[in-house]
Amino acid sequence: MGDRQKKTVLFEQLARVGKALGSGKRLELLDLLAQGERSVEHLAAAAQLGLSTTSAHLQVLKQAGLVTTRRDGTRVHYGLAGLDVIRLYEQLRNVAGERVSDVGRAREDYLASGRAAGAPGEQDEVGRDELLARVAAGEVTVLDVRPVEEYVAAHIPGAVSIPVEELPRRINELPSGQDVVAYCRGAYCVLAYEAVDLLRAAGRTAWRLHEGMLEWRLTELPVDTGPGLVASGVAARLHDQ
Amino acid sequence: MGDRQKKTVLFEQLARVGKALGSGKRLELLDLLAQGERSVEHLAAAAQLGLSTTSAHLQVLKQAGLVTTRRDGTRVHYGLAGLDVIRLYEQLRNVAGERVSDVGRAREDYLASGRAAGAPGEQDEVGRDELLARVAAGEVTVLDVRPVEEYVAAHIPGAVSIPVEELPRRINELPSGQDVVAYCRGAYCVLAYEAVDLLRAAGRTAWRLHEGMLEWRLTELPVDTGPGLVASGVAARLHDQ
DNA sequence: CTCGTATTCCAAAGAAAACTAGAATACTGG
DNA sequence: CCAGTATTCTAGTTTTCTTTGGAATACGAG
């Protein structure tokens, strides 16, 4: 095999990873997996795809080495192969956001949807270090507003889970007299914006954590898994089961 | 437009960048562009592609925002849109090298080709800081062994250019009594390995710079452009023209 | 203005990838 | 071992991407 041919083979191999990133559906699956492990069925539902289609896309991601599988009884859990994959995904979003004007627009458009009309454009945010300090001081409640499955897969230690769609009727479960810091998936996730709007409308003091689970994982700060705290009413509800 | 639809649009936009990375040919073009600006014709020749094909691929890269064009008279020079694009490309290679076993193998295979049989597996390398220190002390000659066009597009300040295929007959142009540090494109480039083999076979003391132009640019250290130094015999040759 | 050169655009053919429904497989729990 | 469930595989259809050669365009030189 000639030099030239070897070079072509090498680039063609690299392109397998590129190809894996070359489909909106697959990026959506990666985005979901950045929150934590999930079963095929679950991913299909979350991404609104057929089961066979989802499985096929996951195979492509697996061939490219971006995800790994773990069999748990009758179901297969997919997860990201490592932090470098999150970094690659993040870098892709950075470049796209910076270089493709349509991406910036689509992002703004998406983030604006679902928020109360007239809501402030930029909500007050807290950074990671500030959050950790205020948590240590016992000043704030950390609120995870993602779907429960994602909370179970991985969440910030000490955070309570109230999915944003349940927030209006469960807002009283949050300990009163404490400020709330809400977080969701990451920079491209709208849930925490909505949550802060809801909380403020209810008279609470609330901020958005500047980063989401995706960025949190990149820092290699610890995460908790499993049911954890489901807000103040948790004891009673767990008892019912 | 519904929430769901907006989300799909957003991911589909992100996927444009992914798609651009999903072809071996395009990655090869990016790799060439990481060395500096180049014309379409030149890129086509270097990547061994048809002119129309090359143009089409470059359009895809441009649509994805990864490259920009600069018109210079009758020809168009393509260049990377920014350092973040190099970072993205590097991260892609990292993940691929780490996660896809075939990539590691293809890379080894490619890097081994063209080198003298029985050559040592790992050549002594110098890092960037060591290089800068020894250059400042006037101890070493920095040798750029890439094709002349790439040297012209961008090179390490003070480096002399002898493309590796001309090295055997031009080795005497290098100032004697000085050690040589050779560099080429980057981690996936074989030229500097070959050059060090050649230099050592000729009795010179030579090292490989651990990084190439790609990694050098990422550090934001200065680069020079233009003809620059073409080794000691340059004055005579320039005079001939 | 015309010619020559560099690049892009266009249309058609061939190749690769995506989606779908249904069959096959792998595992659990009884 | 059997039934039930989660996932993967298969095959056919449709869509998208790649390549190619030739026409069109943009520019500079004369």
Side-chain angles (χ1 to χ4, degrees):
Chain A
M1 183 158 62
D3 234 47
R4 177 73 225 170
Q5 209 172 344
K6 278 179 183 162
K7 198 171 184 177
T8 304
V9 168
L10 176 55
F11 279 109
E12 217 55 58
Q13 294 286 358
L14 287 177
R16 274 178 41 200
V17 178
K19 276 192 228 289
L21 301 174
S23 143
K25 310 287 173 54
R26 280 196 293 270
L27 289 178
E28 202 165 344
L29 291 171
L30 275 184
D31 198 76
L32 288 164
L33 290 172
Q35 304 303 314
E37 285 195 334
R38 297 254 215 143
S39 70
V40 178
E41 191 177 27
H42 202 140
L43 288 166
Q48 303 200 332
L49 290 171
L51 213 56
S52 309
T53 310
T54 306
S55 180
H57 280 308
L58 290 170
Q59 295 301 317
V60 173
L61 291 171
K62 193 176 178 184
Q63 289 296 314
L66 302 184
V67 304
T68 53
T69 53
R70 179 177 66 82
R71 186 138 210 156
D72 174 23
T74 171
R75 72 189 65 188
V76 176
H77 294 272
Y78 279 80
L80 293 190
L83 288 182
D84 53 346
V85 177
I86 305 190
R87 273 188 220 107
L88 175 58
Y89 176 55
E90 205 192 20
Q91 187 63 24
L92 179 80
R93 294 203 307 198
N94 284 347
V95 172
E98 186 73 25
R99 306 285 169 198
V100 189
S101 56
D102 290 350
V103 170
R105 215 170 313 127
R107 175 166 179 267
E108 291 306 318
D109 205 35
Y110 173 59
L111 290 184
S113 69
R115 296 191 53 199
E122 277 301 314
Q123 291 174 339
D124 296 316
E125 298 184 340
V126 293
R128 174 166 24 97
D129 296 335
E130 192 184 346
L131 177 79
L132 291 170
R134 299 190 62 183
V135 166
E139 292 174 11
V140 297
T141 299
V142 183
L143 174 62
D144 186 321
V145 294
R146 300 173 298 157
V148 175
E149 311 87 84
E150 294 175 18
Y151 176 85
V152 171
H155 59 262
I156 293 178
V160 301
S161 165
I162 304 181
V164 72
E165 66 268 30
E166 300 177 17
L167 189 55
R169 58 185 174 78
R170 292 178 58 189
I171 208 160
N172 57 321
E173 293 179 20
L174 288 164
S176 57
Q178 273 207 324
D179 295 350
V180 178
V181 174
Y183 75 92
C184 55
R185 291 168 181 151
Y188 282 70
C189 177
V190 73
L191 302 178
Y193 286 101
E194 290 180 34
V196 169
D197 282 344
L198 287 167
L199 288 163
R200 293 195 168 177
R204 303 292 302 244
T205 306
W207 289 281
R208 201 179 80 86
L209 179 61
H210 177 65
E211 55 217 272
M213 182 46 60
L214 188 145
E215 294 85 4
W216 185 271
R217 286 180 75 180
L218 274 181
T219 65
E220 309 207 49
L221 285 166
V223 295
D224 272 6
T225 58
L229 307 166
V230 204
S232 63
V234 66
R237 244 193 321 291
L238 283 177
H239 200 258
D240 292 346
Q241 296 177 353
Chain B
M1 181 156 65
D3 233 48
R4 177 72 225 171
Q5 210 172 342
K6 280 180 183 164
K7 198 170 183 178
T8 304
V9 168
L10 176 56
F11 280 109
E12 217 55 58
Q13 294 287 358
L14 287 177
R16 273 178 40 201
V17 179
K19 276 192 229 291
L21 300 174
S23 142
K25 308 288 171 53
R26 281 197 292 270
L27 290 178
E28 202 166 343
L29 291 172
L30 275 184
D31 197 75
L32 288 164
L33 290 172
Q35 304 303 313
E37 284 196 334
R38 297 253 216 144
S39 70
V40 178
E41 191 176 27
H42 202 141
L43 288 165
Q48 303 199 333
L49 290 171
L51 215 56
S52 309
T53 311
T54 306
S55 180
H57 280 308
L58 289 170
Q59 296 301 319
V60 174
L61 291 171
K62 192 177 179 181
Q63 289 297 314
L66 302 184
V67 304
T68 53
T69 54
R70 178 177 67 83
R71 186 139 209 156
D72 175 22
T74 169
R75 72 190 64 188
V76 176
H77 293 273
Y78 278 79
L80 293 190
L83 288 182
D84 53 345
V85 177
I86 306 191
R87 272 188 222 106
L88 175 58
Y89 176 55
E90 205 193 20
Q91 187 63 26
L92 179 79
R93 294 204 307 198
N94 284 347
V95 171
E98 187 75 24
R99 306 286 169 199
V100 188
S101 57
D102 290 350
V103 171
R105 215 171 312 125
R107 175 166 179 268
E108 292 304 319
D109 207 33
Y110 173 60
L111 291 184
S113 71
R115 296 192 51 200
E122 276 302 314
Q123 292 173 336
D124 295 316
E125 298 183 340
V126 294
R128 174 168 22 99
D129 297 334
E130 192 183 347
L131 177 79
L132 291 170
R134 298 191 62 182
V135 166
E139 291 174 9
V140 296
T141 300
V142 182
L143 175 63
D144 186 320
V145 295
R146 299 173 299 157
V148 175
E149 312 87 83
E150 294 176 18
Y151 175 83
V152 171
H155 58 261
I156 293 179
V160 300
S161 165
I162 304 181
V164 71
E165 65 267 29
E166 301 177 16
L167 190 54
R169 59 184 171 80
R170 292 177 58 189
I171 207 159
N172 57 319
E173 293 178 20
L174 290 165
S176 58
Q178 273 206 325
D179 293 351
V180 178
V181 174
Y183 76 91
C184 54
R185 291 169 181 150
Y188 281 70
C189 176
V190 73
L191 301 178
Y193 286 103
E194 289 180 34
V196 171
D197 282 345
L198 287 167
L199 288 163
R200 294 196 167 178
R204 302 291 304 244
T205 306
W207 289 279
R208 202 178 80 87
L209 179 62
H210 178 65
E211 55 216 271
M213 182 47 59
L214 188 144
E215 294 84 4
W216 186 270
R217 287 180 73 178
L218 274 181
T219 64
E220 307 207 51
L221 284 165
V223 295
D224 273 5
T225 59
L229 308 167
V230 203
S232 63
V234 67
R237 244 194 323 291
L238 283 177
H239 201 258
D240 291 345
Q241 294 178 354

